[in-house]
Amino acid sequence: MNKKEITVTKPFMPTLSEYLEYVEKIWNNSWVTNKGPLFKEFHLLLHDYLKADNLCLTVNGHSALDIAIKSLGLSGEVITTPFTFASTTHALTMNQITPVFCDIKESDLTIDESKIEELITDKTTAIMPVHVYGHSCNTEEIERIAKKHHLKVIYDAAHSFGVQRDGQSIALCGDVSIFSFHATKIFHTIEGGCAIYRDKNLEPLFNAFRNFGIYSEEEINYIGGNAKMNEFQAAMGIVNLKYMDEIIQKRKKLTLYYRKKLNLIEGIQYFVPEKLSTYSYNYAYFPILVDENKLKISRDDLYEELKKFNVYTRKYFYPLVTDFGCYKEQYKDVSLPVAKKISQQILCLPLYYDLSYEDIDYIYESILEIKKVVE
Ligand SMILES: *Cc1c(COP(=O)(O)O)cnc(C)c1O
């Protein structure tokens, strides 16, 4: 084995000269953070790209979730998914809210909307679903349930940048949707994030919670942290946004190639989200499910064996949130059979802009080699 390392992800890098052009602007006016000119420019560009009237740029995606929860004034219980990154759940518990976990669907791994209503109590204030891997939740049905029970909806759309329907971003769903612009996400600003909110009247709250609760020069009306996006992040956003269509197209080609290859291996299942939803798909991840009985290798063994071929995959998401050390005592009795099963089978294969067809060939051949040994 003399193949170079294939990591599970790799940030998209624009050309250095493009980025430096903007860094030079920062140097010329010595404005590095606090609503600088590049922040404003990026805000406008995103406004147009998403066709979103109200948006709040933040230092990262987690802060966007935190600010959304605070701005909507949520409390009590929030119904959410256990099949997500720690950030979703922590954002609730750090705001003294009890997450109530709803199971997911096998078809697309998003929250099972048919099981939401039975979890609603008189303490429920909101639903917080996740468009996991860029797979779109059933937003119509979630909207109907929320309306009927007077609940707010915050979508964790961290994986969903670029997902649209009829030219409209999926971020326009719900009371708030948040994106993460972390380096590992499909679109990035190094670190960064954004909240898109429906009610224009929330603007002063979002702005205040982003900046220590400062309402005006002499009024601090809220208890908030610091979640401001700086000029270097905004510069990366401005430059990377130009590549968005190209990034999605390239990932689509790689995904179709993966599917063609993996079709030939019994025991590996992949998802075809573009067939399951009326929203487009952004090809943000390439998750597979390993059927141990058919493949004759467990997910964990495949993960370990692939490392020997210099192929680094990720058990994303394993363990389930309810099995984290910090939550397992509280949630030891909850029943989430689908999420449990999926978290044992899931594996995300490498997918990023710079991945090549040859890399996918190599990953495919490596899986065949691993299979050969056990046969
Ligand atoms: C990445 C991620 C976040 C947090 O975003 P950061 O920008 O890393 O703070 C939240 N939720 C999900 C589902 C994520 O994948």
Side-chain angles (χ1 to χ4, degrees):
M1 183 204 52
N2 49 12
K3 177 82 189 173
K4 69 175 194 300
E5 213 171 72
I6 304 179
T7 51
V8 70
T9 187
K10 202 171 157 187
F12 175 83
M13 297 304 273
T15 61
L16 182 58
S17 61
E18 282 172 294
Y19 189 63
L20 287 180
E21 214 177 287
Y22 283 90
V23 171
E24 220 172 299
K25 291 186 189 188
I26 301 173
W27 248 256
N28 287 341
N29 58 32
S30 307
W31 197 341
V32 295
T33 188
N34 285 52
K35 290 193 174 173
L38 298 185
F39 172 95
K40 286 183 183 140
E41 184 177 336
F42 181 45
H43 184 108
L44 276 178
L45 286 171
L46 265 188
H47 181 283
D48 290 347
Y49 180 81
L50 300 169
K51 300 190 177 63
D53 288 333
N54 311 308
L55 64 95
C56 176
L57 289 173
T58 54
V59 67
N60 57 48
H62 183 77
S63 300
L65 273 177
D66 180 56
I67 292 173
I69 291 165
K70 289 182 163 78
S71 296
L72 291 177
L74 302 186
S75 61
E77 296 174 359
V78 169
I79 297 168
T80 187
T81 169
F83 193 70
T84 185
F85 185 54
S87 170
T88 321
T89 318
H90 289 350
L92 292 169
T93 50
M94 289 173 83
N95 279 293
Q96 288 75 49
I97 291 166
T98 307
V100 173
F101 293 105
C102 180
D103 209 355
I104 58 171
K105 293 173 292 190
E106 281 201 60
S107 57
D108 62 11
L109 313 185
T110 66
I111 197 165
D112 186 343
E113 62 279 358
S114 72
K115 296 187 179 141
I116 292 176
E117 278 189 290
E118 66 201 55
L119 298 171
I120 296 173
T121 71
D122 55 7
K123 294 200 190 102
T124 311
T125 56
I127 308 169
M128 195 150 104
V130 180
H131 301 301
V132 67
Y133 308 125
H135 302 178
S136 308
C137 296
N138 184 341
T139 54
E140 279 86 10
E141 181 59 11
I142 292 169
E143 180 88 25
R144 188 195 66 78
I145 296 167
K147 269 218 173 95
K148 182 173 158 199
H149 298 274
H150 308 289
L151 303 174
K152 302 285 185 195
V153 182
I154 299 180
Y155 283 104
D156 181 338
H159 299 173
S160 280
F161 197 78
V163 174
Q164 296 182 331
R165 179 167 62 194
D166 305 327
Q168 290 217 312
S169 168
I170 194 166
L172 301 183
C173 293
D175 294 280
V176 186
S177 288
I178 73 96
F179 288 126
S180 163
F181 301 151
H182 183 257
T184 57
K185 302 302 203 290
I186 185 157
F187 166 77
H188 79 92
T189 61
I190 309 170
E191 296 263 5
C194 176
I196 292 89
Y197 50 97
R198 190 181 281 166
D199 181 0
K200 177 107 196 125
N201 296 323
L202 293 174
E203 185 175 339
L205 279 170
F206 270 90
N207 284 335
F209 280 121
R210 177 171 59 191
N211 189 24
F212 303 107
I214 299 173
Y215 192 74
S216 68
E217 214 168 310
E218 298 190 357
E219 287 174 290
I220 298 187
N221 294 346
Y222 312 101
I223 301 170
N226 176 4
K228 299 188 297 291
M229 175 179 276
N230 69 50
E231 290 291 276
F232 292 85
Q233 294 176 291
M236 187 62 97
I238 292 168
V239 174
N240 281 350
L241 196 58
K242 297 178 193 154
Y243 289 96
M244 210 42 224
D245 290 343
E246 200 178 319
I247 290 170
I248 293 182
Q249 282 316 311
K250 177 73 189 291
R251 285 167 167 271
K252 179 177 181 180
K253 281 187 193 153
L254 294 169
T255 298
L256 297 181
Y257 192 69
Y258 252 131
R259 287 176 186 166
K260 202 167 80 185
K261 282 282 173 185
L262 294 182
N263 261 341
L264 307 170
I265 304 181
E266 211 198 354
I268 288 184
Q269 185 203 321
Y270 54 77
F271 296 86
V272 187
E274 58 272 40
K275 291 243 166 73
L276 298 173
S277 168
T278 50
Y279 289 96
S280 66
Y281 181 47
N282 62 358
Y283 305 89
Y285 296 86
F286 195 79
I288 59 165
L289 295 177
V290 176
D291 182 334
E292 185 174 351
N293 293 327
K294 287 190 187 142
L295 193 69
K296 308 282 191 302
I297 310 159
S298 69
R299 186 276 310 272
D300 289 352
D301 287 345
L302 184 60
Y303 166 84
E304 289 299 336
E305 291 301 315
L306 278 171
K307 279 193 202 167
K308 296 179 188 161
F309 287 82
N310 252 345
V311 175
Y312 294 85
T313 59
R314 191 170 167 203
K315 300 177 198 176
Y316 194 61
F317 298 97
Y318 171 85
L320 275 190
V321 171
T322 45
D323 292 328
F324 289 176
C326 51
Y327 293 124
K328 67 177 182 215
E329 201 36 47
Q330 189 181 350
Y331 293 101
K332 59 181 190 299
D333 296 326
V334 296
S335 165
L336 299 161
V338 180
K340 273 255 149 66
K341 176 174 155 227
I342 296 295
S343 78
Q344 299 290 340
Q345 295 190 318
I346 198 87
L347 196 65
C348 281
L349 300 187
L351 182 63
Y352 46 87
Y353 182 82
D354 282 338
L355 194 75
S356 66
Y357 292 137
E358 291 71 37
D359 292 330
I360 295 178
D361 284 336
Y362 177 75
I363 294 165
Y364 167 74
E365 305 284 337
S366 305
I367 298 174
L368 290 187
E369 285 291 315
I370 295 164
K371 236 176 106 64
K372 220 185 266 167
V373 175
V374 296
E375 275 163 4

